[in-house]
Amino acid sequence: QVQLVESGGGLVQAGGSLRLSCAASGLTFSRYAMGWFRQAPGKEREFVATISGSGGTTSDADSVKGRFTIYRDNAKNTVYLQMNNLKPEDTAVYYCAASPWMTVMRNQYAYWGQGTQVTVSS
């Protein structure tokens, strides 16, 4: 059984930082690209960042470039999202997901976590 479990969300003031974690089990972790998506109330789930299985290649959404960093530790079966200079518009439920290849398309990710809430106050 594949499981992805996010943690690290919470309430933070604008300009602050958070680090999200996603612990994976039930799959050969290094063979999967991993992604982060987010969904705000009333909006579609949107792409944030993705990383190759080896960790050697990353791709970020324009809205978070220069502020967010995706990285992974394959020895711990964990992918992270370091979020700096947070803005109120970053408020959303953040989800991690696994795909056989790097992609920005939601429907190409086979496995999803249940999400962690990030709230940024002004």
Side-chain angles (χ1 to χ4, degrees):
Q1 181 181 359
V2 174
Q3 283 196 319
L4 305 176
V5 181
E6 301 96 337
S7 62
L11 175 64
V12 65
Q13 295 184 47
S17 298
L18 284 174
R19 187 183 73 166
L20 306 183
S21 300
C22 174
S25 61
L27 77 173
T28 304
F29 185 66
S30 64
R31 292 188 179 272
Y32 285 84
M34 299 296 296
W36 286 97
F37 291 76
R38 66 187 183 185
Q39 188 166 23
K43 296 186 177 181
E44 292 187 345
R45 193 170 299 187
E46 67 176 3
F47 169 77
V48 176
T50 186
I51 186 168
S52 64
S54 69
T57 306
T58 64
S59 183
D60 308 315
D62 288 343
S63 60
V64 306
K65 274 189 171 66
R67 299 190 299 122
F68 292 10
T69 302
I70 186 171
Y71 63 101
R72 66 195 293 162
D73 185 342
N74 285 351
K76 296 181 179 179
N77 285 1
T78 301
V79 63
Y80 305 90
L81 186 69
Q82 178 66 49
M83 305 185 294
N84 297 326
N85 191 24
L86 283 159
K87 305 176 183 296
E89 52 263 43
D90 295 319
T91 295
V93 176
Y94 283 71
Y95 300 88
C96 69
S99 173
W101 50 78
M102 291 184 63
T103 178
V104 304
M105 301 182 67
R106 289 175 293 170
N107 60 7
Q108 293 187 345
Y109 283 82
Y111 306 109
W112 292 83
Q114 292 196 315
T116 185
Q117 176 71 48
V118 172
T119 303
V120 184
S121 65
S122 60

